[in-house]
Amino acid sequence: RFVTKPPIKPYMCSTLEEFPEERDHLLNVIFPQLNKLCNARGTYFRAVDLQSSAADRQQFHPHKISKWHHRFASQRLKVSLDYINSCSPFFICLLGQKYGEHCQENENPLPAFIEDISSLSKVEQNLYVAARNGYAWVLQGGNQACSLAELEIIQAAFLNDSQFNFFYFREYDRMDGKALEASGKETENASQKPDENEYEELKLSELKARIVSNGLPVVVFRNLQELGELVLKDWAAVIEKCYPLSSVPRNLGHEDNLEYSYHEAFAQSHCKVFVPSGESEKIFELLEAFALSAAGDIQKESHNSLSARIPPSNTETCQTHTHTLHKTKRGCGKSTLLTNWQKSFRRKHPEALVIPHYVGSSSTSNDISSFLRRCISELRHNYFDTEDEGEADSFSETLSDLWTFPLAVQAFIASLCLKPCILVLDGADELTGTCGLSAQQVKMFSWLPQPLPPQCKLILTTVSSDLSCKSIAGRQDVQAVQVTNTSDSRVRSSMLQGHLPALCKEMEEGHVISVLHKKLSLSPLYLAMLETECLEGYLEAQSLQGLWALILKRWMEDYSWVVERRSNSRRRKRVP
C-alpha cells in the first residue's frame, strides 16, 4: 500500500561566498538527478540553501536585496539553526580555506543578556538573536568564539542526529587556475593581517580535526566534477537506504495512490501551525467520543447513523448536541481543526479506520464520486487486504457506461458494512456536479442513505450559508456542532507568530497589538495571510478580499517585470 514518504531535504552549509560555483553545480546538475531518484520512490529531494546561487543573485534588483539584507543580517544564525533542525538528520557541509565570520580574537566574553544590541557587530547580534530564540548554548563557554559556520556544524553534527551528515573538504595543493588565482588573493590579504589569518587557520584546522575525530563521513575533492560525483554517490546511497526501490509499490502512479498522496499532503500542510485553545479542546473531546461510538455503540439503534456536522462560526458560544445551525463566514480554520483532530485521534487509536477527504486538495477532490471511490477502495483494502487494481481501473475507464452514480452509491453503502469506519468529508460547500447530477443535486444529499450503517460515522464540514448546510440540517440523524473562533488574544498572537516567515519571527509588541485590535484578527485565515514586511499596508484592509488585493499588488511590485514591446517585431515583413 502506498505510504506518504517525507522528502529528503539536506541543509547546505559552508562559509559565506566561498563556494558559489560548487553550489551552482550541485543545485543545477547533481540535485536534479537525486530528485529523479526520489520521484521514482514517491518523494522528492530538495536541498535547503540559504545562500542564493550566483545566477539567482543577478536577477534581484538592488533595492530588494537591501530590504531583505537588512532584515536577515542579524537573524541569519537563528534562521539557519531553525532550518538545520527541520532538515535533520540530512546535512551537507563544504569546507575550504576560510573559517567564516566570527567575533574578534581576544575580545571580552559577551554577557548573557543585553537590552539593546543595535551597537554590536553583526556576528554578535546574530549570537544574541539566536540565544533569545532557543539557542542559548551559542553564548556559553568557547562557543562565542566560534564562527557562524562552525555553530551550524555543532548544531547539525554534535547536537542533532548525525546519521546522514556528509562533509566535503576542498584540497588546495592541486587546484585549477581559478582556484590558484583566488588563493593568491587570499595570500595577499593574509600578508596584511597575518595574526588574524593565522587565528582563522588554527580554528579551521581544529574544526576539521574535531569532525574527523567524531567519525563523521569526510571526503576530499579537487574540482567541480569530482565534488559532483562524490555528492551523487553519497546521496544516492542515502536515498536507497531510506526508501529502497524494492519497497516501492507497483501501482505508485495509480490514480488512487495519487489521490491519497494529495489528501495526505493537504493534511500535513494544515498541521504545521496549530495553536490549541479551550474551544478546540472541547471540539476534540466531542469528536473523539463521537468517532469511538462507531465501534462501541453498534448495538444501540439510537446512535446507528449519527453524523456530525461541524460548521465554523464567528460566534463566541459552542453549542453541542443540538440541531440548530448558525450562519458563518469562510476562513475560520475548520480544515486546520479537523486535520489536527484526525492526527491526534489516529495517534491515540491507531487501530481505528479513518478515511479523510478534503475538498480542494486535488483537481478531482470536489467531485463527490471521488469521495465515494476513495471510501470504497480503502474499505475493500482494509477488509480483504487486496488492492483490486484491475477493478479499480474499471471505475475510471468505463465511468460513462458501467460506473454510474447510482451504482457508485450502492457500492459505497455495501462497503460501509464491511467494518467500523469514520468518514471525514471536509468542505462540502465546494462540491460540484458529477455523472449528470448538478452541484445543487449533489449538495441536497438525497443520495446519502438515511440512516447510515451502524458501524459508520460521518464527520462533515461546510459553511452555514451554503445549500449543503441547509440540506444536511434537515436530517433527523444529524448532531450539529458549532465551532467558534477564540477571543483569547494570547492564542491569536501565537497563531500570528506561527504563520510568520522564518525571517520575521521576532515581531515587535506594538505590531502585534495593532494586528489584534483589528476586527479581522478574529479570523485565523487573516492571521495566516499577514507578513511583517508589509504590515502597515496590510492593516488598511477592511476585508479578506481587500487583504488579498493588497498582497497581490505587493507580489506584482516585488516579483514582476516590465516587458518592452516592440511594434516592429509584430509587423509582418512584406515579400517584395
Side-chain angles (χ1 to χ4, degrees):
R1 189 65 172 176
F2 177 80
V3 179
T4 302
K5 301 175 181 177
I8 295 181
K9 298 171 62 177
Y11 179 88
M12 288 191 64
C13 169
S14 72
T15 53
L16 194 63
E17 304 294 340
E18 187 177 7
F19 296 94
E21 294 182 0
E22 286 81 357
R23 287 176 175 272
D24 286 344
H25 180 69
L26 294 177
L27 292 172
N28 299 323
V29 179
I30 303 303
F31 292 163
Q33 299 180 49
L34 295 174
N35 188 45
K36 289 182 179 180
L37 295 178
C38 287
N39 292 161
R41 293 160 169 81
T43 185
Y44 64 90
F45 182 97
R46 181 179 300 166
V48 175
D49 184 10
L50 298 185
Q51 300 181 28
S52 300
S53 64
D56 292 336
R57 287 194 296 271
Q58 295 175 0
Q59 298 178 3
F60 285 96
H61 297 289
H63 72 280
K64 297 176 184 177
I65 293 179
S66 61
K67 178 179 67 174
W68 282 104
H69 177 75
H70 175 73
R71 183 184 300 278
F72 186 65
S74 62
Q75 300 189 43
R76 184 161 64 88
L77 176 61
K78 178 260 178 187
V79 173
S80 298
L81 298 180
D82 286 344
Y83 274 108
I84 288 172
N85 289 338
S86 64
C87 295
S88 182
F90 306 112
F91 184 75
I92 296 176
C93 180
L94 306 180
L95 284 179
Q97 200 174 13
K98 296 182 179 180
Y99 179 59
E101 297 176 280
H102 60 91
C103 294
Q104 296 298 322
E105 184 183 7
N106 299 325
E107 285 188 350
N108 295 325
L110 298 173
F113 177 79
I114 293 181
E115 183 69 27
D116 184 15
I117 64 173
S118 58
S119 60
L120 301 179
S121 67
K122 290 300 180 183
V123 175
E124 293 172 339
Q125 290 182 21
N126 273 270
L127 293 176
Y128 277 108
V129 171
R132 292 175 182 177
N133 288 272
Y135 304 101
W137 60 268
V138 300
L139 290 176
Q140 297 173 359
N143 293 331
Q144 294 185 11
C146 294
S147 67
L148 300 185
E150 182 172 2
L151 294 175
E152 293 181 9
I153 294 172
I154 292 174
Q155 180 69 28
F158 305 135
L159 298 181
N160 290 352
D161 181 6
S162 61
Q163 181 180 6
F164 299 116
N165 285 201
F166 290 86
F167 294 83
Y168 303 90
F169 294 172
R170 183 162 61 184
E171 185 176 318
Y172 277 87
D173 55 347
R174 299 180 181 178
M175 295 183 297
D176 56 16
K178 294 183 179 179
L180 285 171
E181 182 180 354
S183 178
K185 294 180 180 179
E186 292 170 0
T187 304
E188 181 180 351
N189 294 333
S191 62
Q192 298 175 358
K193 299 180 179 180
D195 294 337
E196 179 179 349
N197 196 67
E198 291 179 2
Y199 173 76
E200 292 185 0
E201 289 181 356
L202 176 62
K203 294 288 292 184
L204 181 60
S205 299
E206 293 176 350
L207 173 60
K208 291 182 177 180
R210 184 180 179 186
I211 293 172
V212 174
S213 62
N214 277 269
L216 297 170
V218 176
V219 292
V220 178
F221 69 94
R222 300 175 180 82
N223 50 51
L224 288 179
Q225 184 69 21
E226 189 171 353
L227 173 64
E229 293 174 355
L230 292 171
V231 172
L232 182 61
K233 177 183 176 182
D234 291 340
W235 287 91
V238 171
I239 295 171
E240 179 62 23
K241 183 175 182 179
C242 293
Y243 306 120
L245 192 59
S246 58
S247 65
V248 178
R250 293 177 300 171
N251 58 347
L252 177 62
H254 190 270
E255 182 179 353
D256 288 344
N257 278 330
L258 291 176
E259 191 70 14
Y260 177 86
S261 64
Y262 293 144
H263 290 282
E264 286 297 309
F266 180 91
Q268 292 176 10
S269 66
H270 282 69
C271 290
K272 291 181 179 179
V273 179
F274 176 69
V275 181
S277 63
E279 292 83 354
S280 66
E281 293 297 330
K282 293 178 181 178
I283 297 298
F284 276 28
E285 293 176 1
L286 179 64
L287 287 177
E288 182 171 3
F290 172 75
L292 290 177
S293 65
D297 293 337
I298 296 178
Q299 305 298 328
K300 300 181 180 180
E301 291 297 328
S302 60
H303 297 284
N304 274 355
S305 59
L306 184 64
S307 60
R309 175 194 170 277
I310 311 177
S313 175
N314 289 333
T315 60
E316 297 181 359
T317 60
C318 182
Q319 299 182 6
T320 60
H321 298 89
T322 69
H323 297 280
T324 58
L325 304 177
H326 300 271
K327 293 183 178 181
T328 184
K329 296 181 180 180
R330 300 179 185 274
C332 296
K334 59 182 175 61
S335 295
T336 299
L337 179 66
L338 198 57
T339 53
N340 282 274
W341 168 79
Q342 176 196 328
K343 178 181 179 181
S344 173
F345 182 79
R346 282 179 165 175
R347 184 172 58 251
K348 295 179 181 178
H349 309 282
E351 73 286 351
L353 176 59
V354 182
I355 306 176
H357 185 91
Y358 304 103
V359 179
S361 61
S362 69
S363 59
T364 60
S365 61
N366 57 354
D367 189 336
I368 194 62
S369 296
S370 176
F371 168 68
L372 300 181
R373 170 179 173 151
R374 176 167 164 76
C375 294
I376 295 169
S377 176
E378 289 287 337
L379 286 165
R380 286 180 175 177
H381 167 70
N382 280 271
Y383 187 79
F384 297 108
D385 195 23
T386 57
E387 295 297 337
D388 295 333
E389 294 182 13
E391 185 176 354
D393 290 339
S394 66
F395 293 164
S396 58
E397 293 177 358
T398 60
L399 180 63
S400 60
D401 53 348
L402 293 180
W403 192 242
T404 59
F405 190 72
L407 293 178
V409 173
Q410 293 178 20
F412 170 71
I413 298 172
S415 299
L416 296 181
C417 299
L418 293 177
K419 64 179 303 181
C421 60
I422 300 100
L423 309 182
V424 178
L425 178 58
D426 177 44
D429 51 294
E430 299 181 16
L431 292 174
T432 60
T434 180
C435 299
L437 274 70
S438 65
Q440 182 178 3
Q441 291 174 312
V442 172
K443 293 181 180 181
M444 289 293 292
F445 284 97
S446 58
W447 52 269
L448 187 66
Q450 182 177 355
L452 291 173
Q455 55 191 13
C456 172
K457 301 297 177 181
L458 172 63
I459 299 175
L460 184 146
T461 72
T462 184
V463 294
S464 58
S465 59
D466 188 73
L467 174 62
S468 59
C469 172
K470 296 179 175 61
S471 301
I472 203 71
R475 296 170 59 106
Q476 298 298 320
D477 57 347
V478 171
Q479 176 185 0
V481 179
Q482 186 73 17
V483 178
T484 63
N485 284 330
T486 180
S487 58
D488 191 338
S489 59
R490 293 174 299 178
V491 174
R492 290 186 288 133
S493 175
S494 298
M495 289 182 183
L496 177 63
Q497 297 284 355
H499 284 289
L500 292 177
L503 299 180
C504 310
K505 290 297 185 183
E506 284 196 339
M507 178 185 279
E508 296 181 4
E509 185 178 355
H511 286 168
V512 176
I513 295 176
S514 299
V515 173
L516 298 183
H517 280 173
K518 298 285 292 183
K519 184 178 180 180
L520 284 175
S521 66
L522 292 173
S523 169
L525 179 59
Y526 174 80
L527 299 176
M529 292 164 61
L530 287 179
E531 295 182 10
T532 52
E533 60 168 310
C534 301
L535 186 60
E536 296 180 0
Y538 287 171
L539 292 180
E540 298 175 359
Q542 300 299 320
S543 64
L544 291 178
Q545 292 81 357
L547 179 57
W548 272 120
L550 292 175
I551 291 176
L552 291 174
K553 179 181 178 182
R554 195 266 299 177
W555 285 353
M556 288 187 291
E557 291 176 350
D558 284 1
Y559 304 115
S560 63
W561 59 90
V562 178
V563 178
E564 297 181 359
R565 298 182 178 179
R566 297 180 180 179
S567 58
N568 293 336
S569 62
R570 296 195 171 198
R571 297 175 182 175
R572 294 183 177 180
K573 295 182 179 181
R574 296 182 179 180
V575 180

